Amino acid sequence: MKIIDEVKGAMTIAISGHIRPDGDCVGSVMGLYLYLKKALPAAEIDVYLDKPADIFRCISHIEDIKSGFYSEKEYDVFVALDTTDDRLGDVETIYRKARKKINIDHHVSNRGCGDVNIVEPDRSSTAELLYELMDAEMIDEEIAKAIYIGIIHDTGVLRYSNTSPRTLQIAAELIKFGFDFSTIVEETFFEKTYRQTQIMGRSVLESVRFMEGRCIVSMVSRRMMEFYCVTPKDLDGIVNQLQSVKGVDCAIFMYETGTLEYKVSMRSNGKVDVSAIAVKFGGGGHVRAAGCTMNGTYHDNINNLSIEIAEQLENE
Ligand code: AMP
Ligand code: MN
Ligand code: MN
């Protein structure tokens, strides 16, 4: 199947991804946008997404993204990438009105929310899946760069277990376009601002291990975010840092989003299916990386999550 066959004849197309977009989301959305602009020059194409982090400024035409502006248009086609409809945020209303809905994703928790569903949980990233749906001869350096960013962000730069031989083949095809992949990896994935480094340090310092060191948890309150002048975008990578502690099977990181409301991120080494846990609390994700929003006090939330983790580890 090729994406171009699914959008043939469409004069108006909308593209979007999940709220609080990560690298895979931004890379996929922009990769598809650049591709369709080239393939269908006469079509009107709009991209809706929460404002991406500044690190993604290296992606061509990123300034075309409409954030916080939502039209009443009824699009011929709406492509939702790296997400389910309930994580589209305010754009969900536009999605509902679209004449044809296409859902492209790799989350194991996604049952498909479009008229056309291309959901492949074995894919490292939505960006990888998107590459397969493109005609190779239409891909150029800018499209390749966007897709490459998507892949490296969801695979921890091609090192998590979701990286397959095919992922590496695609990465090889992409870097042939000649963009400066090394700088992109450094500047979008590894480099942290001083404030980001400080809040990461504080989170690690205040983390607590439990279940004989098999679990680790840390939290950032709204007051802490104000103190360090950071926003949720600055907290990326903290949960991965916690997960890399020797002996840890499952890491939990949460930050306060409102009164008694926390955004929860979980990571595991595969011994715990964190997607199953996230789904129980209204979220989703992958076996080794998942998230959800939880209401209640920090300690209530840890309690509720640890019951689920303990149950899985006992049945191991
Ligand atoms: P995070 O820790 O928020 O970066 O999320 C880890 C993985 O789980 C990513 O693939 C997210 O897209 C996914 N995820 C996070 N929150 C949710 C949610 N509420 N529903 C579905 N998937 C989620
Ligand atoms: Mn994502
Ligand atoms: Mn993804």
Side-chain angles (χ1 to χ4, degrees):
M1 182 199 258
K2 292 291 171 196
I3 189 71
I4 206 71
D5 298 324
E6 293 297 332
V7 300
K8 249 191 205 127
M11 288 314 293
T12 56
I13 301 173
I15 303 170
S16 190
H18 58 78
I19 50 169
R20 294 187 276 256
D22 52 19
D24 182 29
C25 188
V26 178
S28 306
V29 162
M30 288 309 298
L32 181 61
Y33 173 62
L34 296 171
Y35 182 82
L36 291 182
K37 246 164 60 98
K38 192 171 169 186
L40 305 171
E44 208 178 295
I45 309 174
D46 293 325
V47 189
Y48 297 100
L49 202 63
D50 285 356
K51 192 179 178 309
D54 289 344
I55 47 172
F56 299 116
R57 272 183 312 213
C58 57
I59 299 177
S60 169
H61 284 273
I62 192 105
E63 67 283 356
D64 291 358
I65 290 180
K66 298 180 199 307
S67 305
F69 164 76
Y70 304 117
S71 88
E72 295 293 310
K73 235 190 270 180
E74 285 181 26
Y75 288 92
D76 291 333
V77 175
F78 193 125
V79 191
L81 292 154
D82 199 42
T83 190
T84 39
D85 47 4
D86 59 340
R87 281 179 87 211
L88 284 168
D90 294 338
V91 190
E92 193 181 341
T93 26
I94 314 178
Y95 183 71
R96 299 239 165 274
K97 285 194 275 188
R99 281 181 269 277
K100 180 175 182 178
K101 303 171 187 65
I102 303 177
N103 185 203
I104 302 172
D105 191 16
H106 69 128
H107 288 97
V108 66
S109 52
N110 183 0
R111 301 253 157 83
C113 62
D115 304 309
V116 176
N117 297 303
I118 308 163
V119 180
E120 297 188 10
D122 290 339
R123 293 292 180 178
S124 68
S125 51
T126 298
E128 175 186 323
L129 176 53
L130 187 61
Y131 175 89
E132 303 283 27
L133 303 173
M134 291 178 171
D135 286 311
E137 61 276 14
M138 280 293 289
I139 298 176
D140 59 29
E141 183 174 338
E142 295 307 322
I143 298 168
K145 191 161 80 175
I147 296 173
Y148 185 78
I149 288 175
I151 295 176
I152 60 157
H153 276 254
D154 259 20
T155 57
V157 194
L158 308 172
R159 74 187 205 278
Y160 298 155
S161 63
N162 58 358
T163 307
S164 70
R166 183 66 188 143
T167 316
L168 295 175
Q169 270 170 352
I170 293 173
E173 292 304 320
L174 292 171
I175 66 170
K176 281 186 197 162
F177 284 93
F179 54 83
D180 183 355
F181 69 88
S182 171
T183 301
I184 286 174
V185 166
E186 187 55 35
E187 291 182 356
T188 76
F189 193 84
F190 290 110
E191 194 176 86
K192 300 265 173 232
T193 64
Y194 184 56
R195 285 174 177 154
Q196 288 166 344
T197 309
Q198 279 190 309
I199 193 113
M200 162 131 20
R202 171 119 182 229
S203 303
V204 174
L205 195 68
E206 291 185 355
S207 65
V208 174
R209 288 187 301 172
F210 56 103
M211 291 184 197
E212 282 112 37
R214 300 183 75 178
C215 292
I216 189 164
V217 65
S218 192
M219 184 271 281
V220 165
S221 66
R222 280 190 292 181
R223 272 182 63 181
M224 277 161 76
M225 282 193 259
E226 274 163 32
F227 182 79
Y228 291 99
C229 301
V230 294
T231 66
K233 285 191 187 98
D234 297 308
L235 307 175
D236 278 2
I238 295 179
V239 68
N240 300 303
Q241 187 66 46
L242 296 173
Q243 177 57 34
S244 65
V245 173
K246 194 171 164 67
V248 166
D249 292 326
C250 182
I252 306 168
F253 173 71
M254 42 185 121
Y255 65 85
E256 204 182 359
T257 47
T259 309
L260 294 179
E261 189 189 88
Y262 293 87
K263 167 72 181 75
V264 178
S265 285
M266 289 178 280
R267 296 291 182 271
S268 100
N269 56 5
K271 289 189 185 156
V272 177
D273 177 353
V274 287
S275 174
I277 299 173
V279 165
K280 284 197 178 173
F281 295 101
H286 315 278
V287 171
R288 292 167 186 247
C292 57
T293 295
M294 290 180 81
N295 296 297
T297 66
Y298 171 54
H299 289 102
D300 279 343
N301 293 340
I302 299 176
N303 221 6
N304 289 329
L305 293 169
S306 59
I307 291 167
E308 301 293 334
I309 297 167
E311 198 172 295
Q312 284 198 25
L313 288 175
E314 274 159 25
N315 296 332
E316 197 188 346

